[in-house]
Amino acid sequence: MHPVAILASWGPHDTQLILSCVLGLALIIVAIGWLKLAPFLAILVGTFVAGITAGLAPETIAAAFAKGVGNLLGNIGITIALGAMLGALVAGSGAADRLVDTILKRSTPRTLPWLMVLVALIIGLPLFFEVGLVMMVPIIFAMARRSGQPILRIAMPVLAGLTTLHALIPPHPGPLIAVSALHADLGLTFGLGLLVAIPAAVLAGPLYGMWLSKRLVLAAPEDIGHTLSARPDAQTLPSFGISLLTMLLPVLFMLGRTVAQLWLPHDDWRYQALNFVGEPIIALGLTVLFAMVVLGWARGMPRTQVGDIVRKGLPPIAALLLTIGAGGGLQQALVMAGISDTVAKIAQVGHLPLILLAWLIAVALRQATGSATVATTTTAGIVAPLTASLSATHNGLLALAIGAGSVFFCHVNDAGFWMIREYFGLTLKQTIQVWSVLQTIVSVVGLVLTYVFWVALS
């Protein structure tokens, strides 16, 4: 759309939406940082303030908030709970310590962060970010404790690896949505995504982590860190093979589902079986049962002890789930108010290269809605009519640029922001330093590399 036409379509409601969004987000930050309110309550209040000032009726805001909470927790709440159970079993049985022992024997303090980003890239390939995070948390804490390294030196490479995959690599939802909407080639986009993802993960992970760990020292949170890091008798540790298989089992299930969806006919029994066990909830549920058997009962651990380990993994994530759900409620209220259309109007003003325009639209939508999926879906729909004359390579690069923009500077309306804050016991400022800046590095590096490839191949 021509800039003049866009400006002509701008109305008072668009201005009102922008101001209400800024007001709501500012109130949330003040309520948490200064008033010290619980994040769930602060987000709830901020949602109603943003919604009312945007012109929504209170009952509409309440319905939108409830829907957003339900949608988000329905998607990831059960997954996080199962992941917490698995993490508790992996840690409480000593499997995490066995993995840590083996990795430490094959690494040095200099190479450990690089090895951790590689582990995250391998484990996180078929997993949603939330699943990969809850699986890696016990490993992060155990590795930091055993190696004597700062927590951030270990955690940042893992977070960078997981978020880079989430933003840039199919079959993660965002990149897959962009590939479909732009009719890009999946295999080509996957290959290009790896070329972009590896440098982005390196810069945001080991390099930024080494710099930040010297300036921000963290202790393991009392609830999660100590619960997941209790070391059993070294003589009773499970074998490395069983420990690794338990960690990789949900990865293998989900990877098998992806392979089946790409290569097998849907009426094939192998497709149906792999599609079933590869559903994240099924994959994690089966792995929790597998871990209870091979890490607990088969090694002579009393049933009551196994049950206690599983139960103790759940209380630390209660506040986390409430906070994540509230972020989904805020996101839904803003989307219902029409913030996506307003941001799209802003981003389309000006004569910009298509790849930069797509990145900016995704950035603006992510800032406003807190959802990478909403940002990716909406942006791909906006730019799709402009891609008819592009090559398959350029369509793939455009999909990657949109994915990169969808993770720029994630903040208080992002569920991942609150997961990182709660898991690592951070303040609001520290979460911005750790998470928001890390994602911004991934986003900017993603844009720079896709633009370089775009120009080189034009």
Side-chain angles (χ1 to χ4, degrees), residues 178-211:
V179 165
S180 175
L182 300 176
H183 304 290
D185 181 85
L186 182 62
L188 182 59
T189 306
F190 180 87
L192 291 169
L194 285 178
L195 294 178
V196 175
I198 292 173
V202 167
L203 287 171
L207 296 182
Y208 179 55
M210 285 188 279
W211 181 87

PDB file of all heavy atoms in Angstrom, residues 178-211:
ATOM      1  N   ALA A 178       5.896 -19.120   8.266  1.00  0.00           N
ATOM      2  CA  ALA A 178       6.404 -18.197   7.249  1.00  0.00           C
ATOM      3  C   ALA A 178       6.696 -18.929   5.941  1.00  0.00           C
ATOM      4  O   ALA A 178       6.389 -18.423   4.853  1.00  0.00           O
ATOM      5  CB  ALA A 178       7.664 -17.497   7.756  1.00  0.00           C
ATOM      6  N   VAL A 179       7.280 -20.107   6.028  1.00  0.00           N
ATOM      7  CA  VAL A 179       7.564 -20.902   4.824  1.00  0.00           C
ATOM      8  C   VAL A 179       6.276 -21.210   4.072  1.00  0.00           C
ATOM      9  O   VAL A 179       6.194 -21.084   2.844  1.00  0.00           O
ATOM     10  CB  VAL A 179       8.296 -22.207   5.207  1.00  0.00           C
ATOM     11  CG1 VAL A 179       8.275 -23.198   4.054  1.00  0.00           C
ATOM     12  CG2 VAL A 179       9.736 -21.909   5.611  1.00  0.00           C
ATOM     13  N   SER A 180       5.241 -21.600   4.795  1.00  0.00           N
ATOM     14  CA  SER A 180       3.957 -21.939   4.166  1.00  0.00           C
ATOM     15  C   SER A 180       3.312 -20.709   3.531  1.00  0.00           C
ATOM     16  O   SER A 180       2.853 -20.754   2.379  1.00  0.00           O
ATOM     17  CB  SER A 180       3.021 -22.554   5.204  1.00  0.00           C
ATOM     18  OG  SER A 180       1.737 -22.787   4.653  1.00  0.00           O
ATOM     19  N   ALA A 181       3.274 -19.584   4.262  1.00  0.00           N
ATOM     20  CA  ALA A 181       2.592 -18.390   3.763  1.00  0.00           C
ATOM     21  C   ALA A 181       3.286 -17.799   2.546  1.00  0.00           C
ATOM     22  O   ALA A 181       2.627 -17.262   1.646  1.00  0.00           O
ATOM     23  CB  ALA A 181       2.507 -17.341   4.872  1.00  0.00           C
ATOM     24  N   LEU A 182       4.614 -17.909   2.513  1.00  0.00           N
ATOM     25  CA  LEU A 182       5.382 -17.309   1.411  1.00  0.00           C
ATOM     26  C   LEU A 182       5.669 -18.312   0.297  1.00  0.00           C
ATOM     27  O   LEU A 182       6.337 -17.974  -0.684  1.00  0.00           O
ATOM     28  CB  LEU A 182       6.697 -16.747   1.944  1.00  0.00           C
ATOM     29  CG  LEU A 182       6.581 -15.661   3.019  1.00  0.00           C
ATOM     30  CD1 LEU A 182       7.952 -15.265   3.531  1.00  0.00           C
ATOM     31  CD2 LEU A 182       5.836 -14.450   2.487  1.00  0.00           C
ATOM     32  N   HIS A 183       5.198 -19.568   0.470  1.00  0.00           N
ATOM     33  CA  HIS A 183       5.418 -20.630  -0.523  1.00  0.00           C
ATOM     34  C   HIS A 183       6.911 -20.831  -0.778  1.00  0.00           C
ATOM     35  O   HIS A 183       7.353 -21.020  -1.920  1.00  0.00           O
ATOM     36  CB  HIS A 183       4.687 -20.309  -1.831  1.00  0.00           C
ATOM     37  CG  HIS A 183       3.219 -20.071  -1.654  1.00  0.00           C
ATOM     38  ND1 HIS A 183       2.341 -21.085  -1.332  1.00  0.00           N
ATOM     39  CD2 HIS A 183       2.480 -18.937  -1.726  1.00  0.00           C
ATOM     40  CE1 HIS A 183       1.117 -20.590  -1.225  1.00  0.00           C
ATOM     41  NE2 HIS A 183       1.176 -19.283  -1.448  1.00  0.00           N
ATOM     42  N   ALA A 184       7.687 -20.771   0.301  1.00  0.00           N
ATOM     43  CA  ALA A 184       9.125 -21.002   0.208  1.00  0.00           C
ATOM     44  C   ALA A 184       9.403 -22.505   0.247  1.00  0.00           C
ATOM     45  O   ALA A 184       8.556 -23.310   0.643  1.00  0.00           O
ATOM     46  CB  ALA A 184       9.846 -20.290   1.346  1.00  0.00           C
ATOM     47  N   ASP A 185      10.595 -22.884  -0.171  1.00  0.00           N
ATOM     48  CA  ASP A 185      11.004 -24.285  -0.145  1.00  0.00           C
ATOM     49  C   ASP A 185      11.487 -24.644   1.258  1.00  0.00           C
ATOM     50  O   ASP A 185      12.391 -23.993   1.798  1.00  0.00           O
ATOM     51  CB  ASP A 185      12.122 -24.526  -1.163  1.00  0.00           C
ATOM     52  CG  ASP A 185      12.564 -25.984  -1.195  1.00  0.00           C
ATOM     53  OD1 ASP A 185      11.916 -26.770  -1.906  1.00  0.00           O
ATOM     54  OD2 ASP A 185      13.529 -26.318  -0.484  1.00  0.00           O
ATOM     55  N   LEU A 186      10.889 -25.682   1.842  1.00  0.00           N
ATOM     56  CA  LEU A 186      11.195 -26.027   3.231  1.00  0.00           C
ATOM     57  C   LEU A 186      12.654 -26.453   3.402  1.00  0.00           C
ATOM     58  O   LEU A 186      13.342 -25.989   4.309  1.00  0.00           O
ATOM     59  CB  LEU A 186      10.253 -27.142   3.711  1.00  0.00           C
ATOM     60  CG  LEU A 186      10.425 -27.582   5.164  1.00  0.00           C
ATOM     61  CD1 LEU A 186      10.129 -26.441   6.115  1.00  0.00           C
ATOM     62  CD2 LEU A 186       9.514 -28.778   5.465  1.00  0.00           C
ATOM     63  N   GLY A 187      13.125 -27.339   2.539  1.00  0.00           N
ATOM     64  CA  GLY A 187      14.494 -27.818   2.673  1.00  0.00           C
ATOM     65  C   GLY A 187      15.513 -26.717   2.477  1.00  0.00           C
ATOM     66  O   GLY A 187      16.498 -26.616   3.225  1.00  0.00           O
ATOM     67  N   LEU A 188      15.284 -25.856   1.490  1.00  0.00           N
ATOM     68  CA  LEU A 188      16.190 -24.739   1.233  1.00  0.00           C
ATOM     69  C   LEU A 188      16.199 -23.763   2.404  1.00  0.00           C
ATOM     70  O   LEU A 188      17.262 -23.283   2.828  1.00  0.00           O
ATOM     71  CB  LEU A 188      15.779 -24.020  -0.052  1.00  0.00           C
ATOM     72  CG  LEU A 188      16.646 -22.840  -0.503  1.00  0.00           C
ATOM     73  CD1 LEU A 188      18.084 -23.286  -0.733  1.00  0.00           C
ATOM     74  CD2 LEU A 188      16.071 -22.203  -1.756  1.00  0.00           C
ATOM     75  N   THR A 189      15.012 -23.466   2.941  1.00  0.00           N
ATOM     76  CA  THR A 189      14.920 -22.558   4.086  1.00  0.00           C
ATOM     77  C   THR A 189      15.616 -23.149   5.303  1.00  0.00           C
ATOM     78  O   THR A 189      16.274 -22.434   6.072  1.00  0.00           O
ATOM     79  CB  THR A 189      13.455 -22.246   4.414  1.00  0.00           C
ATOM     80  OG1 THR A 189      12.798 -21.754   3.242  1.00  0.00           O
ATOM     81  CG2 THR A 189      13.346 -21.211   5.518  1.00  0.00           C
ATOM     82  N   PHE A 190      15.495 -24.461   5.489  1.00  0.00           N
ATOM     83  CA  PHE A 190      16.169 -25.136   6.599  1.00  0.00           C
ATOM     84  C   PHE A 190      17.686 -24.964   6.468  1.00  0.00           C
ATOM     85  O   PHE A 190      18.372 -24.628   7.442  1.00  0.00           O
ATOM     86  CB  PHE A 190      15.812 -26.618   6.613  1.00  0.00           C
ATOM     87  CG  PHE A 190      16.455 -27.407   7.719  1.00  0.00           C
ATOM     88  CD1 PHE A 190      15.854 -27.497   8.957  1.00  0.00           C
ATOM     89  CD2 PHE A 190      17.669 -28.043   7.521  1.00  0.00           C
ATOM     90  CE1 PHE A 190      16.445 -28.229   9.988  1.00  0.00           C
ATOM     91  CE2 PHE A 190      18.276 -28.767   8.539  1.00  0.00           C
ATOM     92  CZ  PHE A 190      17.655 -28.854   9.768  1.00  0.00           C
ATOM     93  N   GLY A 191      18.228 -25.184   5.258  1.00  0.00           N
ATOM     94  CA  GLY A 191      19.661 -25.039   5.055  1.00  0.00           C
ATOM     95  C   GLY A 191      20.145 -23.617   5.257  1.00  0.00           C
ATOM     96  O   GLY A 191      21.159 -23.377   5.927  1.00  0.00           O
ATOM     97  N   LEU A 192      19.406 -22.656   4.691  1.00  0.00           N
ATOM     98  CA  LEU A 192      19.756 -21.252   4.896  1.00  0.00           C
ATOM     99  C   LEU A 192      19.635 -20.867   6.368  1.00  0.00           C
ATOM    100  O   LEU A 192      20.437 -20.083   6.896  1.00  0.00           O
ATOM    101  CB  LEU A 192      18.847 -20.357   4.048  1.00  0.00           C
ATOM    102  CG  LEU A 192      19.046 -20.429   2.526  1.00  0.00           C
ATOM    103  CD1 LEU A 192      17.917 -19.702   1.811  1.00  0.00           C
ATOM    104  CD2 LEU A 192      20.400 -19.835   2.134  1.00  0.00           C
ATOM    105  N   GLY A 193      18.616 -21.425   7.021  1.00  0.00           N
ATOM    106  CA  GLY A 193      18.413 -21.137   8.440  1.00  0.00           C
ATOM    107  C   GLY A 193      19.588 -21.573   9.287  1.00  0.00           C
ATOM    108  O   GLY A 193      19.985 -20.874  10.233  1.00  0.00           O
ATOM    109  N   LEU A 194      20.171 -22.720   8.977  1.00  0.00           N
ATOM    110  CA  LEU A 194      21.345 -23.171   9.718  1.00  0.00           C
ATOM    111  C   LEU A 194      22.517 -22.222   9.523  1.00  0.00           C
ATOM    112  O   LEU A 194      23.265 -21.933  10.470  1.00  0.00           O
ATOM    113  CB  LEU A 194      21.734 -24.581   9.270  1.00  0.00           C
ATOM    114  CG  LEU A 194      20.853 -25.729   9.770  1.00  0.00           C
ATOM    115  CD1 LEU A 194      21.349 -27.053   9.195  1.00  0.00           C
ATOM    116  CD2 LEU A 194      20.833 -25.792  11.291  1.00  0.00           C
ATOM    117  N   LEU A 195      22.705 -21.723   8.295  1.00  0.00           N
ATOM    118  CA  LEU A 195      23.797 -20.782   8.024  1.00  0.00           C
ATOM    119  C   LEU A 195      23.640 -19.487   8.820  1.00  0.00           C
ATOM    120  O   LEU A 195      24.631 -18.859   9.196  1.00  0.00           O
ATOM    121  CB  LEU A 195      23.857 -20.459   6.526  1.00  0.00           C
ATOM    122  CG  LEU A 195      24.243 -21.608   5.588  1.00  0.00           C
ATOM    123  CD1 LEU A 195      24.196 -21.141   4.142  1.00  0.00           C
ATOM    124  CD2 LEU A 195      25.629 -22.146   5.934  1.00  0.00           C
ATOM    125  N   VAL A 196      22.395 -19.104   9.066  1.00  0.00           N
ATOM    126  CA  VAL A 196      22.132 -17.897   9.853  1.00  0.00           C
ATOM    127  C   VAL A 196      22.137 -18.204  11.346  1.00  0.00           C
ATOM    128  O   VAL A 196      22.638 -17.417  12.161  1.00  0.00           O
ATOM    129  CB  VAL A 196      20.774 -17.281   9.439  1.00  0.00           C
ATOM    130  CG1 VAL A 196      20.421 -16.089  10.325  1.00  0.00           C
ATOM    131  CG2 VAL A 196      20.803 -16.859   7.975  1.00  0.00           C
ATOM    132  N   ALA A 197      21.585 -19.364  11.725  1.00  0.00           N
ATOM    133  CA  ALA A 197      21.385 -19.683  13.137  1.00  0.00           C
ATOM    134  C   ALA A 197      22.697 -19.896  13.886  1.00  0.00           C
ATOM    135  O   ALA A 197      22.832 -19.475  15.043  1.00  0.00           O
ATOM    136  CB  ALA A 197      20.505 -20.931  13.266  1.00  0.00           C
ATOM    137  N   ILE A 198      23.658 -20.540  13.258  1.00  0.00           N
ATOM    138  CA  ILE A 198      24.898 -20.876  13.977  1.00  0.00           C
ATOM    139  C   ILE A 198      25.663 -19.620  14.398  1.00  0.00           C
ATOM    140  O   ILE A 198      26.022 -19.474  15.576  1.00  0.00           O
ATOM    141  CB  ILE A 198      25.767 -21.827  13.125  1.00  0.00           C
ATOM    142  CG1 ILE A 198      25.067 -23.185  13.020  1.00  0.00           C
ATOM    143  CG2 ILE A 198      27.151 -21.990  13.746  1.00  0.00           C
ATOM    144  CD1 ILE A 198      25.745 -24.158  12.077  1.00  0.00           C
ATOM    145  N   PRO A 199      25.926 -18.663  13.497  1.00  0.00           N
ATOM    146  CA  PRO A 199      26.589 -17.426  13.962  1.00  0.00           C
ATOM    147  C   PRO A 199      25.764 -16.657  14.993  1.00  0.00           C
ATOM    148  O   PRO A 199      26.323 -16.091  15.947  1.00  0.00           O
ATOM    149  CB  PRO A 199      26.761 -16.606  12.678  1.00  0.00           C
ATOM    150  CG  PRO A 199      26.675 -17.582  11.563  1.00  0.00           C
ATOM    151  CD  PRO A 199      25.733 -18.639  12.026  1.00  0.00           C
ATOM    152  N   ALA A 200      24.430 -16.636  14.809  1.00  0.00           N
ATOM    153  CA  ALA A 200      23.572 -15.925  15.760  1.00  0.00           C
ATOM    154  C   ALA A 200      23.667 -16.559  17.146  1.00  0.00           C
ATOM    155  O   ALA A 200      23.763 -15.862  18.167  1.00  0.00           O
ATOM    156  CB  ALA A 200      22.126 -15.924  15.275  1.00  0.00           C
ATOM    157  N   ALA A 201      23.639 -17.900  17.202  1.00  0.00           N
ATOM    158  CA  ALA A 201      23.723 -18.602  18.483  1.00  0.00           C
ATOM    159  C   ALA A 201      25.087 -18.396  19.145  1.00  0.00           C
ATOM    160  O   ALA A 201      25.179 -18.267  20.371  1.00  0.00           O
ATOM    161  CB  ALA A 201      23.448 -20.096  18.283  1.00  0.00           C
ATOM    162  N   VAL A 202      26.133 -18.359  18.341  1.00  0.00           N
ATOM    163  CA  VAL A 202      27.490 -18.157  18.883  1.00  0.00           C
ATOM    164  C   VAL A 202      27.624 -16.767  19.505  1.00  0.00           C
ATOM    165  O   VAL A 202      28.132 -16.610  20.621  1.00  0.00           O
ATOM    166  CB  VAL A 202      28.534 -18.373  17.775  1.00  0.00           C
ATOM    167  CG1 VAL A 202      29.902 -17.854  18.222  1.00  0.00           C
ATOM    168  CG2 VAL A 202      28.631 -19.858  17.423  1.00  0.00           C
ATOM    169  N   LEU A 203      27.177 -15.742  18.801  1.00  0.00           N
ATOM    170  CA  LEU A 203      27.304 -14.376  19.305  1.00  0.00           C
ATOM    171  C   LEU A 203      26.425 -14.138  20.533  1.00  0.00           C
ATOM    172  O   LEU A 203      26.855 -13.513  21.507  1.00  0.00           O
ATOM    173  CB  LEU A 203      26.943 -13.378  18.208  1.00  0.00           C
ATOM    174  CG  LEU A 203      27.974 -13.216  17.079  1.00  0.00           C
ATOM    175  CD1 LEU A 203      27.400 -12.378  15.950  1.00  0.00           C
ATOM    176  CD2 LEU A 203      29.248 -12.575  17.619  1.00  0.00           C
ATOM    177  N   ALA A 204      25.178 -14.635  20.492  1.00  0.00           N
ATOM    178  CA  ALA A 204      24.258 -14.402  21.598  1.00  0.00           C
ATOM    179  C   ALA A 204      24.520 -15.326  22.779  1.00  0.00           C
ATOM    180  O   ALA A 204      24.121 -15.012  23.905  1.00  0.00           O
ATOM    181  CB  ALA A 204      22.808 -14.597  21.122  1.00  0.00           C
ATOM    182  N   GLY A 205      25.189 -16.467  22.533  1.00  0.00           N
ATOM    183  CA  GLY A 205      25.396 -17.458  23.578  1.00  0.00           C
ATOM    184  C   GLY A 205      26.757 -17.396  24.237  1.00  0.00           C
ATOM    185  O   GLY A 205      26.964 -16.649  25.198  1.00  0.00           O
ATOM    186  N   PRO A 206      27.719 -18.170  23.739  1.00  0.00           N
ATOM    187  CA  PRO A 206      29.037 -18.194  24.400  1.00  0.00           C
ATOM    188  C   PRO A 206      29.701 -16.822  24.513  1.00  0.00           C
ATOM    189  O   PRO A 206      30.238 -16.476  25.570  1.00  0.00           O
ATOM    190  CB  PRO A 206      29.852 -19.131  23.490  1.00  0.00           C
ATOM    191  CG  PRO A 206      28.836 -19.993  22.837  1.00  0.00           C
ATOM    192  CD  PRO A 206      27.628 -19.127  22.633  1.00  0.00           C
ATOM    193  N   LEU A 207      29.653 -16.016  23.454  1.00  0.00           N
ATOM    194  CA  LEU A 207      30.368 -14.733  23.485  1.00  0.00           C
ATOM    195  C   LEU A 207      29.681 -13.726  24.408  1.00  0.00           C
ATOM    196  O   LEU A 207      30.319 -13.138  25.284  1.00  0.00           O
ATOM    197  CB  LEU A 207      30.498 -14.176  22.065  1.00  0.00           C
ATOM    198  CG  LEU A 207      31.345 -15.025  21.112  1.00  0.00           C
ATOM    199  CD1 LEU A 207      31.442 -14.355  19.740  1.00  0.00           C
ATOM    200  CD2 LEU A 207      32.737 -15.253  21.683  1.00  0.00           C
ATOM    201  N   TYR A 208      28.387 -13.510  24.220  1.00  0.00           N
ATOM    202  CA  TYR A 208      27.677 -12.582  25.100  1.00  0.00           C
ATOM    203  C   TYR A 208      27.628 -13.131  26.527  1.00  0.00           C
ATOM    204  O   TYR A 208      27.732 -12.373  27.501  1.00  0.00           O
ATOM    205  CB  TYR A 208      26.263 -12.338  24.574  1.00  0.00           C
ATOM    206  CG  TYR A 208      25.444 -11.392  25.437  1.00  0.00           C
ATOM    207  CD1 TYR A 208      25.916 -10.117  25.753  1.00  0.00           C
ATOM    208  CD2 TYR A 208      24.196 -11.773  25.937  1.00  0.00           C
ATOM    209  CE1 TYR A 208      25.171  -9.257  26.545  1.00  0.00           C
ATOM    210  CE2 TYR A 208      23.446 -10.921  26.728  1.00  0.00           C
ATOM    211  CZ  TYR A 208      23.939  -9.662  27.033  1.00  0.00           C
ATOM    212  OH  TYR A 208      23.205  -8.813  27.823  1.00  0.00           O
ATOM    213  N   GLY A 209      27.499 -14.443  26.665  1.00  0.00           N
ATOM    214  CA  GLY A 209      27.462 -15.056  27.996  1.00  0.00           C
ATOM    215  C   GLY A 209      28.752 -14.854  28.763  1.00  0.00           C
ATOM    216  O   GLY A 209      28.735 -14.562  29.967  1.00  0.00           O
ATOM    217  N   MET A 210      29.882 -14.984  28.090  1.00  0.00           N
ATOM    218  CA  MET A 210      31.170 -14.767  28.762  1.00  0.00           C
ATOM    219  C   MET A 210      31.312 -13.313  29.197  1.00  0.00           C
ATOM    220  O   MET A 210      31.843 -13.031  30.269  1.00  0.00           O
ATOM    221  CB  MET A 210      32.314 -15.183  27.828  1.00  0.00           C
ATOM    222  CG  MET A 210      32.481 -16.687  27.701  1.00  0.00           C
ATOM    223  SD  MET A 210      33.956 -17.181  26.781  1.00  0.00           S
ATOM    224  CE  MET A 210      33.380 -16.982  25.095  1.00  0.00           C
ATOM    225  N   TRP A 211      30.836 -12.384  28.365  1.00  0.00           N
ATOM    226  CA  TRP A 211      30.911 -10.963  28.718  1.00  0.00           C
ATOM    227  C   TRP A 211      29.978 -10.641  29.880  1.00  0.00           C
ATOM    228  O   TRP A 211      30.364  -9.977  30.854  1.00  0.00           O
ATOM    229  CB  TRP A 211      30.540 -10.128  27.489  1.00  0.00           C
ATOM    230  CG  TRP A 211      30.602  -8.653  27.727  1.00  0.00           C
ATOM    231  CD1 TRP A 211      31.694  -7.839  27.605  1.00  0.00           C
ATOM    232  CD2 TRP A 211      29.524  -7.796  28.141  1.00  0.00           C
ATOM    233  NE1 TRP A 211      31.366  -6.532  27.913  1.00  0.00           N
ATOM    234  CE2 TRP A 211      30.043  -6.474  28.243  1.00  0.00           C
ATOM    235  CE3 TRP A 211      28.179  -8.004  28.426  1.00  0.00           C
ATOM    236  CZ2 TRP A 211      29.250  -5.390  28.628  1.00  0.00           C
ATOM    237  CZ3 TRP A 211      27.391  -6.932  28.808  1.00  0.00           C
ATOM    238  CH2 TRP A 211      27.919  -5.646  28.906  1.00  0.00           C
TER     239      TRP A 211
END
